[in-house]
Amino acid sequence: MPDKFHDECAVFGIYGHKEAANLTYLGLYALQHRGQESSGIVSTDGHNFNVEKGMGLVADIFTKKEIRRLKGTKAIGHNRYSTAGESNHRNIQPLTVNYAFGHLALAHNGNLTNASVLRSELEAYGSIFQSDSDSEVIVHLIAHSKGESFLNRLIEALSLVRGAYSLALLTEHEMVAARDPYGFRPLCLGRYKDAWIVASETCAFDLIGAEFVREVEPGEVIVVNDQGLTSHHPFIVPETPAKCVFEYVYFARPDSKIFGNYAVYPVRKALGRQLAKEAMVPADIVIPVPDSGVPAALGFSEGAGIPFEIGLTRNHYIGRTFIEPEQSIRHFGVKLKLNAVPDVLEGKRVVVVDDSIVRGTTSRKIVKMLRNAGAKEIHMRISSPPTIAPCFYGIDTPTQKELIGSSHNIEEIRKYITADSLAYLSLEGMLNAAPGRNDHYCHACFTDQYPIPFTKAEEIQLGLFDVNTSPR
Ligand code: AMP
């Protein structure tokens, strides 16, 4: 069970446009980077629910004919990527059910830390689960609720779950968006003509020409129906939110705004500039690990006054290395994805900038590749601190023991990746580069300090409980 609770996802929802499904398709297309394993769209005309789901990329799953079949002026969609657990058709979102109060569809980005406990309790009361996903717990809690309106049932359900959720929900007559009180994952509100839209990131709005209105606030529930939009704040919101800083470091698209009116690209560049301040090294060129390392490398080059070059070319037609499940394939995957440019590298002292080292496999391959292409010195610079702990809030990270930073110090990692030098950005440097207050971010993957204390049951669900060591 614990293995199955690691998702990376995107959500999208639209209320009030006759091309709702088509616009959802485009929104999901723009949000493809948040999940490449499966996708789904659910639409409604106020009576029936139309559903299309499939494994793979958005562009491959939906045909024109299927989009046309998705009738109605309201729709929600979801992209999903889960390495752990089975890649199973049943787990594709939006989840759809037909229960006592009608139809319901749910799309979830995030991860519920107490899903196991709730699932066991619900099963004890007779719930029959259709998927392995933590998100389904929310659907069952809604169905069990005695609340009079859908809003009340949803609020009751959400008051029982713990962890991260950015949700888009659809009933016959309303679209609802909700974000957990800590605001772990982003969720944005937009307007397209008379329609209201929600999306994980604003790049989905840009593609369809929608206007970004504001973020859905931590702990906020937004209901859109024929009477318009209403905002509700039913939950106690903590003094300090826990926005995921890794969204800025790696996950969100650089052209997006997330967590308010803050664009990702300048933050990534600032991370690189700060890295140059902290870990300067004499060199001839700065090169990025494309694509995710590009803005930080530009920032480093600017900060260090060292020319920026493209020393690695990326083949864009291959999924992320991370997707490959087997270590053997992952090694191969790096070669498939990246190739060195010898003319740029020959005889040069090279600074290589990447956003993170997870297992260390990619960096090791890259250093070897650069060396083979003639680089004289290779200085690896990482625009975030060492990744030492798994994420339980919706970023897919390996288990703690697979994270090289959790068991090796920086010198040991340098030796493993065979670089001439290795330096990471400091925690403070990273948080200073991110917008707003430093204590408004979750940085558990870098510090092992999780913003919400885990209960014993959660520790078991999350695989943190080990009888041989004292639990965290
Ligand atoms: P590794 O070989 O495991 O050290 O992979 C490091 C690379 O994976 C870096 O270039 C990152 O850009 C990328 N990366 C980091 N975190 C993730 C993630 N959660 N999903 C996919 N790729 C990631």
Side-chain angles (χ1 to χ4, degrees):
M1 188 64 97
D3 278 3
K4 296 183 173 153
F5 290 142
H6 295 258
D7 291 340
E8 296 183 329
C9 304
V11 301
F12 185 93
I14 179 163
Y15 188 101
H17 196 284
K18 60 182 186 334
E19 302 285 342
N22 210 336
L23 291 163
T24 304
Y25 167 79
L26 291 168
L28 293 179
Y29 193 83
L31 295 167
Q32 187 74 81
H33 61 290
R34 296 184 73 86
Q36 301 101 38
E37 185 190 81
S38 64
S39 249
I41 300 177
V42 176
S43 72
T44 183
D45 53 7
H47 302 286
N48 299 318
F49 265 39
N50 312 296
V51 186
E52 284 295 341
K53 293 178 181 184
M55 302 297 296
L57 299 176
V58 176
D60 300 328
I61 296 168
F62 306 100
T63 62
K64 239 184 192 160
K65 197 171 126 210
E66 282 158 355
I67 301 281
R68 267 195 221 117
R69 218 182 57 73
L70 290 165
K71 291 198 188 342
T73 55
K74 325 163 202 4
I76 63 168
H78 189 265
N79 287 339
R80 178 170 187 267
Y81 162 49
S82 156
T83 42
E86 278 172 81
S87 298
N88 199 316
H89 206 273
R90 291 179 309 162
N91 291 332
I92 304 178
Q93 293 195 21
L95 299 173
T96 48
V97 291
N98 199 352
Y99 73 126
F101 295 96
H103 289 287
L104 170 62
L106 173 139
H108 174 203
N109 173 209
N111 187 54
L112 306 180
T113 51
N114 66 339
S116 264
V117 185
L118 292 172
R119 182 173 173 140
S120 304
E121 286 171 11
L122 286 158
E123 282 175 337
Y125 280 101
S127 284
I128 298 168
F129 279 75
Q130 304 289 326
S131 76
D132 305 316
S133 103
D134 58 328
S135 318
E136 196 183 341
V137 163
I138 301 174
V139 175
H140 285 268
L141 290 172
I142 293 171
H144 275 258
S145 166
K146 303 269 181 293
E148 277 169 15
S149 65
F150 177 69
L151 177 63
N152 288 343
R153 288 192 286 279
L154 176 66
I155 291 170
E156 192 185 317
L158 295 182
S159 66
L160 297 171
V161 304
R162 286 163 54 92
Y165 56 81
S166 281
L167 299 173
L169 301 111
L170 192 66
T171 69
E172 288 92 340
H173 305 295
E174 59 214 322
M175 174 182 77
V176 180
R179 193 159 164 230
D180 68 75
Y182 286 82
F184 283 101
R185 308 255 72 87
L187 192 60
C188 308
L189 179 68
R191 195 87 163 121
Y192 179 68
K193 299 185 177 162
D194 292 332
W196 286 104
I197 306 181
V198 288
S200 295
E201 296 178 31
T202 58
C203 62
F205 299 158
D206 296 342
L207 178 64
I208 59 179
E211 170 205 345
F212 170 46
V213 176
R214 63 171 176 88
E215 76 171 325
V216 177
E217 287 164 24
E220 185 180 7
V221 180
I222 287 179
V223 181
V224 186
N225 55 26
D226 282 351
Q227 278 70 55
L229 179 148
T230 49
S231 159
H232 309 263
H233 293 270
F235 307 115
I236 297 166
V237 172
E239 259 170 49
T240 51
K243 301 174 281 183
C244 168
V245 72
F246 198 64
E247 292 270 355
Y248 279 118
V249 169
Y250 167 80
F251 199 41
R253 236 170 75 160
D255 53 336
S256 283
K257 284 177 178 170
I258 53 166
F259 300 136
N261 206 5
Y262 300 109
V264 174
Y265 175 78
V267 177
R268 257 173 224 173
K269 216 172 155 191
L271 293 169
R273 266 198 305 269
Q274 178 62 25
L275 185 59
K277 259 194 217 153
E278 293 182 15
M280 181 57 187
V281 59
D284 303 307
I285 54 171
V286 175
I287 67 162
V289 175
D291 291 326
S292 52
V294 173
L298 278 165
F300 192 100
S301 154
E302 213 175 273
I306 302 172
F308 175 89
E309 289 284 356
I310 300 291
L312 288 162
T313 308
R314 183 178 162 137
N315 181 336
H316 285 102
Y317 307 98
I318 304 186
R320 288 175 177 177
T321 323
F322 225 62
I323 295 174
E324 313 291 355
E326 301 294 334
Q327 192 75 357
S328 55
I329 305 175
R330 195 158 42 240
H331 278 281
F332 185 51
V334 177
K335 274 193 260 172
L336 276 176
K337 198 168 79 169
L338 293 171
N339 196 21
V341 186
D343 282 348
V344 171
L345 300 161
E346 187 75 57
K348 298 278 173 34
R349 296 170 302 168
V350 182
V351 174
V352 192
V353 180
D354 202 356
D355 56 86
S356 54
I357 294 180
V358 181
R359 293 180 173 91
T361 323
T362 310
S363 306
R364 191 178 154 93
K365 284 279 156 193
I366 286 169
V367 172
K368 197 170 167 198
M369 209 180 264
L370 297 174
R371 207 88 64 204
N372 287 342
K376 200 166 76 185
E377 288 174 21
I378 299 162
H379 303 282
M380 187 65 91
R381 294 292 178 270
I382 304 299
S383 62
S384 63
T387 309
I388 59 166
C391 176
F392 299 119
Y393 301 112
I395 295 279
D396 185 79
T397 42
T399 58
Q400 188 141 24
K401 65 175 191 296
E402 291 170 274
L403 294 166
I404 193 165
S406 75
S407 51
H408 295 69
N409 65 31
I410 295 176
E411 175 53 17
E412 287 166 344
I413 301 171
R414 184 202 64 75
K415 274 200 188 131
Y416 174 73
I417 66 171
T418 72
D420 295 290
S421 78
L422 166 67
Y424 290 83
L425 185 60
S426 66
L427 178 70
E428 210 196 352
M430 174 182 69
L431 294 173
N432 286 344
R437 282 174 51 172
N438 291 5
D439 61 351
H440 282 191
Y441 286 97
C442 173
H443 41 71
C445 55
F446 303 118
T447 55
D448 203 11
Q449 290 161 15
Y450 294 89
I452 316 174
F454 295 125
T455 61
K456 185 73 86 214
E458 282 175 314
E459 283 179 350
I460 294 168
Q461 171 185 317
L462 303 171
L464 295 174
F465 187 75
D466 183 345
V467 282
N468 298 315
T469 58
S470 51
R472 246 182 231 125

